[in-house]
Amino acid sequence: MTRFSSAHAIAEAIRSGKKSAVSIIQETLNTLRTQDHGIQSVTHLFADEALLQAQKIDAMRQAGQTLPPLAGVPFGVKDLFDIAGHVTTAGSVVLRNTPPAQKDAAIVQRLKAAGAIPVATLNMDEFAYGFATVNAHYGTTHNPHDLARMAGGSSGGSAAAVAAGFLPFTLGSDTNGSIRIPASLCGVWGIKPTFGRLPRAGAYPFSASLDVVGSFASSLDDLITTFYVMDGSTQAPEPAADTLRISRLGGWFASNLAPALVAALDRVCASLQTTSTVELPEVASARAASFLITAAEGGNLHLPRLRKQAEEYDPATRDRLIAGALLPSSTYLQAQRFRNWFRAKIHELFQKTDVLIAPAVMGEAPLLDQPTVMVDGKPVSARANLGLFTQPLSLPGLPVLCLPLKNTGSLPLGLQLVAAPGQEAALFSVARALKKSGLAGCVPLPEKEMA
């Protein structure tokens, strides 16, 4: 039932009595135990707690009580969300001796109140600092579409668990692209909401002025439903896609693209009858400012612990955090001043358009043993450059939906839909239109691939 099943289908099966919540959770745990070894998306299972919550849901149904909308639906969380009674390690060993969380993270509480059941923490780059989910402590997460390729990061375990069909939806975080990059490489739906729209309480921080919590899903309907549950509001009306002003981002966002992605973007724009192309100003500076703010805030957050436990950090993470902590305050302040200017320019643009279309990553997932991407005709580090198109769009705090494009090749491609702050409903509307046209959608792996 749970393999490649939607959250809606699972909840309906439990509500109708066709399946029990306990059987769903048992199947899910068994799948994670027996089929994740090649992917390494899971870091810890919550078997006892999950089964106890499932028993309560079954008891509610047997008593004739009305079940909440996500009753019995299993989900996983990036290993930086608090789960009561467990240590939140944020992909590290540095935090392994800290006290267990006293309560669930805020959005986990909201999902549990809607009946959803957390079953696992999922792999990530240490302290969310990376785009690869290559973790020195918990292993490398592999792309379910091709185990020789990157899943992306830093929420790679969350995207891979959905792409593999293990879980219908998962939680992640996005500072510079940590939801959008793995969603693109793994071919699943992902949402980076407006900065500040979803509560971050109980999510281990990285960069306080950029961090956003969000989710992945195997279907657009699940992504939308879980978004509004986490938002704590009722589902907003979606404007008709044909009434929205949609523009394609050019310039920076039209360079360094794989031919298959260019063709896919052309098909999307033709389907939406979009002929408008716009450019953002100073995109290279926006990317640099986002990087500098992240490095400075992350470095200073970790500096006290680095002074005492530097040897316990992943070397790749440690060196970048130290470099960030050493940045002059004047550099950080200049980056924040630029951010204010760039945000104002973006808001001016949204006076003339409603939704922007941009690539998420320049092409298909890079190979793990050859972790490079092509930028300006040269192979460069994938870990440093997978955020080429996501980092600039992080700076103004905009909502971005990453959707999986139907690719004529065997590997996924991803597209970013971008709107003004608070306009997630517009993104959902355009995504629905593209799904209806057959251009977007998560393609499940053949069962034999995961056997």
Side-chain angles (χ1 to χ4, degrees):
M1 175 68 203
T2 58
R3 291 292 305 284
F4 303 115
S5 294
S6 72
H8 284 86
I10 293 171
E12 178 56 32
I14 292 171
R15 192 174 295 110
S16 67
K18 292 180 180 178
K19 298 282 288 188
S20 69
V22 166
S23 69
I24 290 289
I25 297 303
Q26 287 174 332
E27 291 171 15
T28 301
L29 292 169
N30 183 60
T31 295
L32 293 172
R33 289 185 181 114
T34 60
Q35 299 190 32
D36 185 54
H37 53 86
I39 295 173
Q40 297 190 79
S41 66
V42 174
T43 56
H44 183 76
L45 293 176
F46 306 125
D48 293 341
E49 298 97 319
L51 287 169
L52 181 61
Q53 190 176 345
Q55 290 168 5
K56 292 178 180 177
I57 289 169
D58 286 338
M60 288 177 63
R61 188 187 65 79
Q62 291 165 5
Q65 299 178 31
T66 300
L67 296 183
L70 296 176
V73 177
F75 71 100
V77 304
K78 185 177 183 176
D79 189 24
L80 53 67
F81 288 92
D82 286 349
I83 299 293
H86 295 272
V87 175
T88 305
T89 62
S92 75
V93 298
V94 177
L95 300 179
R96 65 186 182 277
N97 294 321
T98 56
Q102 294 186 356
K103 60 182 180 179
D104 297 324
I107 60 172
V108 173
Q109 291 179 36
R110 291 179 179 181
L111 288 164
K112 288 176 69 173
I117 301 176
V119 297
T121 53
L122 303 168
N123 202 15
M124 57 182 285
D125 288 291
E126 185 184 62
F127 292 117
Y129 208 166
F131 291 139
T133 312
V134 175
N135 189 299
H137 315 297
Y138 301 102
T140 296
T141 296
H142 297 251
N143 194 314
H145 290 271
D146 181 347
L147 298 182
R149 295 182 182 269
M150 284 186 178
S154 63
S155 310
S158 298
V162 172
F166 298 156
L167 297 165
F169 78 94
T170 57
L171 300 186
S173 66
D174 192 307
T175 304
N176 278 307
S178 289
I179 287 174
R180 292 163 286 162
I181 290 167
S184 177
L185 299 186
C186 291
V188 297
W189 301 88
I191 182 75
K192 181 194 89 70
T194 301
F195 178 80
R197 179 158 183 175
L198 299 187
R200 297 185 303 188
Y204 196 88
F206 178 19
S207 174
S209 65
L210 289 170
D211 289 349
V212 176
V213 294
S215 61
F216 302 85
S218 59
S219 76
L220 178 59
D221 285 342
D222 285 353
L223 190 78
I224 295 171
T225 296
T226 53
F227 170 77
Y228 285 110
V229 168
M230 293 186 296
D231 186 43
S233 67
T234 56
Q235 186 165 331
E238 294 173 13
D242 58 8
T243 67
L244 295 169
R245 299 165 297 173
I246 303 172
S247 300
R248 182 173 181 171
L249 280 176
W252 178 277
F253 297 93
S255 303
N256 297 303
L257 303 181
L261 182 54
V262 174
L265 284 165
D266 288 343
R267 290 192 295 270
V268 164
C269 290
S271 175
L272 296 171
Q273 299 182 354
T274 298
T275 58
S276 170
T277 299
V278 298
E279 292 192 29
L280 301 180
E282 302 292 338
V283 180
S285 296
R287 185 188 181 212
S290 186
F291 173 80
L292 289 169
I293 292 168
T294 302
E297 292 183 354
N300 281 279
L301 173 68
H302 285 274
L303 188 57
R305 190 173 280 113
L306 281 165
R307 287 178 170 141
K308 298 177 181 179
Q309 299 171 266
E311 72 284 353
E312 296 184 28
Y313 280 75
D314 181 329
T317 304
R318 178 188 62 219
D319 293 349
R320 284 177 289 170
L321 289 171
I322 291 173
L326 294 174
L327 283 171
S329 59
S330 59
T331 300
Y332 174 77
L333 292 173
Q334 185 178 359
Q336 289 286 16
R337 283 195 294 268
F338 175 85
R339 179 187 192 177
N340 291 334
W341 176 87
F342 188 70
R343 183 190 291 117
K345 292 296 182 182
I346 290 280
H347 287 182
E348 289 177 12
L349 181 60
F350 280 118
Q351 299 301 313
K352 303 174 183 178
T353 192
D354 299 305
V355 174
L356 299 171
I357 296 173
V361 180
M362 53 280 289
E364 299 170 340
L367 291 164
L368 283 163
D369 64 359
Q370 189 180 344
T372 60
V373 292
M374 298 299 294
V375 175
D376 297 334
K378 299 177 182 179
V380 296
S381 166
R383 293 186 74 170
N385 289 281
L386 280 170
L388 194 70
F389 302 130
T390 59
Q391 286 170 303
L393 297 174
S394 296
L395 202 60
L398 306 171
V400 186
L401 190 154
C402 186
L403 57 83
L405 292 170
K406 296 295 179 67
N407 183 14
T408 54
S410 59
L411 294 171
L413 297 169
L415 176 74
Q416 294 184 97
L417 299 177
V418 190
Q423 298 303 309
E424 282 84 353
L427 301 180
F428 297 146
S429 176
V430 176
R432 284 191 196 278
L434 292 173
K435 180 177 179 293
K436 185 176 180 180
S437 72
L439 294 175
C442 181
V443 180
L445 305 178
E447 287 290 334
K448 64 180 180 180
E449 294 293 331
M450 302 306 302

